[in-house]
Amino acid sequence: MAFSYRSGFKDALAAIRREGRYRVFADIMRQRGDYPRADFYPNEEGSNGGSRSITVWCSNDYLNMGQHPKVLAAMHEALDSVGAGSGGTRNISGTSHYHVELERELADLHGKEAALLFTSGFVSNDATLATLAKILPGLIIFSDEFNHASMIEGIRHGGTVKYVFRHNDMAHLEELLKAANPASPKLIAFEGVYSMDGDFAPTHAICDLAEKYGALTYIDEVHGVGLYGKRGGGVAARDGSMERIDIVEGTLAKAFGVMGGYIATSAEIVDCIRSFAPGFIFTTSLAPVIAAGTLASIRHLKESDAERERLHDRATRLKTRLMEAGLPVMDSPSHIVPVFVGDAALCKSVTDALLKEHGIYVQPINYPTVPRGTERLRLTPSPAHSDEMIEELIAALNIVWDVHKLSRAA
């Protein structure tokens, strides 16, 4: 009897539905000039294709740069000048002057010799870490247990020896480093800001251990670049540890408001990755219009602190109001504001109610993004979230928490 492929797919989907982890895309249209308000198009039966206004509380466009006039103007100009697509891979007609300028700007942002663009932050982590493992024979990678899935995938694809150290636990990291072969090449991979808990890595302490045991350092600054440090250089720039870090990886899709990923490091490492990484070599390059918009965003944020200051003011205000309302806000020193739920099905039910009944869009954060039992809402305030919007959110959360009889203990 032939294998029932349809049953296999149905069973896999049924399993995540039972756990309350099935994901539904929210069909929204951001409105230029009115963000974080957006139009929501319900996809349920009987919706008649109409839309209604909502407030977005889960965007990673942290500084609203995706709406900034300078960014939009640069993209319009590039579109009119060179057209839509890049035309090929970086090796075959896909390197425009926008790409070259953007890589120089990113290298300068981090004080490194060179930078290399990728189509996404996921690809930049996956391609770089996997390639490092293949060009450094015997490489041992030490990875923080809370590292992003893209870092985990890159390390796995490299097929090298890895050790996972407890989150931000320097004693455990040193124990693992001390036990490793002193002659083997080593790399410590960690994040500047951990996106689900919102805490920071101890960058100087990690660099101290790297220097002591002869390891390279690799920091994922995806949730820190543009938001922290002088000119928005990230957590390492804020800490004064940037010069001690060998490889910086970042995104163009969050604080910079467009899309893409990159690494900034030495000229030799960039040359190796661009020469050996399949994820770079065989992928059509970013469209010039995207590179142009990102270039304008980075240049603006190098000169302006206003967006960063307003973001951190909004995050502080939101945390204060959540605590005053007795809602279970989880401790976070960064701009990321997690609210504890602790159950996947309840987390989905809460976010459904917020969207359908209160016009507030927040995505449930469930396993495997976070460990089971730590399911949460992940709120991301922006410079454009007003006091009125914060009060609307608090009122809605209070109602939904009471209806669902949820605990108020974080």
Side-chain angles (χ1 to χ4, degrees), residues 138-156:
L139 179 67
I140 303 171
I141 297 181
F142 302 84
S143 176
D144 189 287
E145 67 173 322
F146 284 2
N147 277 345
H148 190 261
S150 58
M151 300 174 78
I152 295 168
E153 284 299 299
I155 294 167
R156 181 181 295 126

Side-chain angles (χ1 to χ4, degrees), residues 21 35 89 99 108 114 230 237 263 311 329 343 349 356 358:
R21 296 194 294 115
Y35 190 75
T89 66
H99 296 90
D108 173 76
K230 185 179 179 182
I263 59 168
L311 168 67
V329 58
D343 178 271
S349 181
K356 294 175 183 177
H358 302 278

Side-chain angles (χ1 to χ4, degrees), residues 55-99:
T55 304
V56 178
W57 275 98
C58 56
S59 174
N60 284 337
D61 185 1
Y62 292 131
L63 298 177
N64 302 137
M65 292 304 294
Q67 303 279 311
H68 198 282
K70 289 182 182 178
V71 174
L72 300 184
M75 296 182 80
H76 280 294
E77 181 182 353
L79 187 63
D80 291 339
S81 297
V82 301
S86 68
T89 66
R90 289 293 296 277
N91 291 309
I92 306 175
S93 82
T95 297
S96 73
H97 193 59
Y98 292 112
H99 296 90

Side-chain angles (χ1 to χ4, degrees), residues 188 190-192 203 217-221 235-236 245 247-250:
I188 304 170
F190 60 101
E191 297 187 36
T203 60
T217 46
Y218 182 105
I219 186 171
D220 177 319
E221 284 275 26
V235 174
I245 290 174
I247 304 169
V248 179
E249 183 273 342

Side-chain angles (χ1 to χ4, degrees), residues 160-279:
T160 193
V161 175
K162 72 166 183 180
Y163 295 100
V164 178
F165 60 93
R166 291 186 292 272
H167 178 54
N168 279 350
D169 187 333
M170 295 300 96
H172 188 215
L173 175 57
E174 180 162 24
E175 178 185 326
L176 295 172
L177 286 163
K178 192 173 184 178
N181 183 348
S184 296
K186 304 172 188 66
L187 180 142
I188 304 170
F190 60 101
E191 297 187 36
V193 183
Y194 289 87
S195 62
M196 293 301 130
D197 290 311
D199 57 338
F200 298 109
T203 60
H204 275 297
I206 290 172
C207 290
D208 289 343
L209 290 176
E211 290 168 8
K212 183 176 180 179
Y213 292 97
L216 293 173
T217 46
Y218 182 105
I219 186 171
D220 177 319
E221 284 275 26
V222 161
H223 296 275
V225 70
L227 303 171
Y228 298 93
K230 185 179 179 182
R231 306 189 306 159
V235 174
R238 181 202 66 179
D239 293 351
S241 58
M242 184 66 73
E243 291 183 359
R244 306 178 69 192
I245 290 174
D246 297 292
I247 304 169
V248 179
E249 183 273 342
T251 186
L252 310 175
K254 294 181 170 59
F256 296 134
V258 194
M259 70 171 292
Y262 67 91
I263 59 168
T265 179
S266 70
E268 290 82 8
I269 292 176
V270 162
D271 208 7
C272 280
I273 301 303
R274 79 170 189 89
S275 299
F276 291 98

